[in-house]
Every structure is written in C-alpha cells, then in structure tokens.
Amino acid sequence: MHDRYAVVGNPIAHSKSPEIHTLFARQTGEPIEYTKLLSPLDGFAGTVRQFAADGGKGLNVTVPFKFEAFRLATENTPRAETAGAVNTLRFDGNRILGDNTDGAGLVADITRNLGISLRDARILMLGAGGAAYGVMLPLLDQKPKVLHIANRTPAKAAVLAEAFARYGRTDSSGYDALEGQYDVIINATSAGLQDTMPAVPAGIFGEGTLALDMVYADRPTVFMAFAAEQGACIRDGFGMLVEQAAESFFVWRGVRPDTASVFAHFGR
Ligand code: ATR
C-alpha cells in the first residue's frame, strides 16, 4: 500500500512535481505515490476534501490556489502564517496542516546549491504579489543587510515591506528609483509569462550579482538574458522547485531526500 500525495492547481499539466517526488520516493524507499490533480477554479475546497476523504495524505498547492489553501488549513506553520499562503497541506485525521516551503526552497538553492551567503547581502526583490510574500520570512531569517522590494505599483511594494519590517530591514520603491548594485536580485513578478521583464535600470546588475528568476523554462527568461548581458550570474527557478519539493517531502515523511541526484536526473 502506497500513501497518496498530489500537486493540485489549474493548469497542472506541465508540473514536474510528480517526477521529482517519485525520484525522492525511490531514493528514500518511502512508499508513496504522487500524481497531478486538476481542480476547477471555483472548486478548490471540494477537490481537496475529496482527495483527503479518499485517503490522500497530503498535497502540494500551486497557482492559483495558495491563498485558498491557507484559508482551508485548520492550522498553519509560522512561515505559512507570515506568507498568508500555503503550498503544502498535510492531512492528519480531521486536521489540515498548512505549510509554505517556497521560501526555504529558494534559500536552500541560493545558500546550499550555489554556495552564496545571504548574510549582510543587499537583496532586491522585484514584484509584490503572492510569489514575493511566500519567500519574505525565510529570506529575512538569513539576516541580509537590506531586502528592498521594487514593484511596478510602488504602493504594493510599500505595503509588503511594511508588513515584514519587524523581521529585518526592508525597504521599497518603484523600478525607476532603483540605484546602485545588488548582491542578489530575485524576479518574483509574473512579467515573464508575457515574455517581458520589469523595467529596471541596467546598473543594478554587476559581475558579482546573482540574478534569479523564480520561474523556470527551457531557455533563459527575458530577465535572465538581460541580467547576463550586464555580467550577472543567472539562475532560473528549477533549483527552488526541487528544494521546496524536498522540504515538503520532509514535512510529510520526516525524511530529507538528497536533491543532487534529482538535478543530475534532469541534466542540471
Ligand atoms: P500573484 O499573487 O499570483 O503572484 P499578482 O498579485 O498579480 O500575482 O502579482 C504579480 C506580480 O507581477 C506583481 O508584482 C505585478 O506587479 P503589479 O503589482 O504592479 O501589478 C508583477 N507584474 C506582472 N506583470 C508585470 C509586468 N509586465 N511588468 C512588471 N511587473 C509585472
């Protein structure tokens, strides 16, 4: 008998999570089965409850349901609470535990896989939507010198920076006010979906800059290509995806899989 897990979203067809978790299961010997679950846009709660009623043990939650998952959980971890969003659900009887492993995944990819310390770093986050909220607390836990949020709509960046000001030094602005180089620049906007990028000045990137796009694709995003032209080191969101998956696997099974073999499997 295998314990059942799935990733739920809409759309969901292109998710790599089943492949990643199947590799983790094989490597650790944990008896799990992991599939994709398409939820109707107006039927998320029903889809989740049915999966749990059928014996499902846990879910990963992706676009556009992370906020709904947060509200559906009967209890949330502190990192989910501060994000206001959930990407991992665990079913324990009638309890639904909500967690958010996105930020831990991002931090693990930067610090462990790339070997870049975020302590005292100048970090710039582009975007102030759900993706940005999800990673704020784990980034600030690394004690950066500053975490500056820039957004097309500066008022939203100000709200986000203010909401997390008690966890570390945060700051905000629009794109045109940005100046000086940053150590790490994270693209948390959805601009890449329209094959474009935030209108940031070229001077914020330098040869010592890591430019990380939270989305992943077969070819570099517009943001990554622009950053590379300025001499920055670039990274897409695939490493974050694998690391957040490993963290979710740990939440469910209490076993931490090795991610290096998964990167090798995908030729990364
Ligand atoms: P979600 O919560 O799902 O992440 P969202 O709240 O719509 O989605 O946030 C998307 C982010 O991408 C926002 O920061 C948005 O900027 P605005 O707040 O100004 O709307 C940003 N974004 C989307 N398209 C963009 C574009 N073409 N250029 C720059 N920023 C863009």
Side-chain angles (χ1 to χ4, degrees):
M1 278 298 281
H2 282 48
D3 289 340
R4 291 176 52 225
Y5 298 86
V7 55
V8 58
N10 186 332
I12 201 64
H14 294 104
S15 174
K16 292 198 190 307
S17 292
E19 208 175 335
I20 294 169
H21 281 279
T22 301
L23 289 167
F24 288 162
R26 206 174 294 160
Q27 175 207 115
T28 59
E30 288 291 306
I32 75 155
E33 172 196 303
Y34 189 112
T35 54
K36 290 174 199 168
L37 186 58
L38 177 70
S39 169
L41 290 174
D42 60 355
F44 176 72
T47 303
V48 171
R49 290 189 201 286
Q50 189 62 52
F51 184 79
D54 292 344
K57 298 284 187 198
L59 288 168
N60 277 135
V61 180
T62 187
V63 176
F65 299 122
K66 292 184 185 184
F67 299 108
E68 258 188 274
F70 173 72
R71 294 194 294 270
L72 188 69
T74 57
E75 56 198 278
N76 284 292
T77 61
R79 59 189 180 183
E81 200 70 52
T82 46
V86 151
N87 79 335
T88 305
L89 292 171
R90 192 179 77 204
F91 308 119
D92 289 328
N94 287 331
R95 292 164 60 216
I96 305 178
L97 175 77
D99 199 354
N100 193 319
T101 65
D102 284 333
L106 175 66
V107 168
D109 191 45
I110 295 172
T111 60
R112 280 214 303 271
N113 297 338
L114 297 177
I116 295 172
S117 170
L118 293 175
R119 193 172 183 94
D120 292 327
R122 281 169 46 82
I123 305 178
L124 170 62
M125 177 123 67
L126 308 177
Y133 272 83
V135 300
M136 286 293 290
L137 186 62
L139 283 174
L140 288 169
D141 279 345
Q142 297 295 306
K143 307 267 181 279
K145 184 175 284 172
V146 66
L147 175 49
H148 187 105
I149 322 289
N151 196 41
R152 182 174 60 183
T153 314
K156 281 172 65 183
V159 169
L160 175 54
E162 186 56 37
F164 284 86
R166 65 196 157 111
Y167 299 107
R169 194 174 146 216
T170 60
D171 213 345
S172 73
S173 72
Y175 294 135
D176 50 6
L178 290 172
E179 54 183 16
Q181 279 184 18
Y182 283 86
D183 301 311
V184 177
I185 303 178
I186 299 163
N187 184 17
T189 72
S190 51
L193 300 177
Q194 305 129 43
D195 263 322
T196 173
M197 65 172 276
V200 293
I204 61 172
F205 301 95
E207 295 199 346
T209 304
L210 167 67
L212 188 151
D213 204 323
M214 281 171 61
V215 304
Y216 63 88
D218 293 337
R219 58 192 172 85
T221 62
V222 178
F223 167 77
M224 287 162 66
F226 182 77
E229 272 168 31
Q230 321 308 320
C233 162
I234 57 171
R235 180 92 167 165
D236 74 0
F238 186 75
M240 174 183 171
L241 174 78
V242 173
E243 296 298 336
Q244 65 78 32
E247 187 76 14
S248 294
F249 194 90
F250 180 74
V251 169
W252 293 323
R253 310 300 300 184
V255 177
R256 202 172 282 285
D258 163 52
T259 53
S261 59
V262 174
F263 287 110
H265 171 89
F266 284 96
R268 295 274 190 145

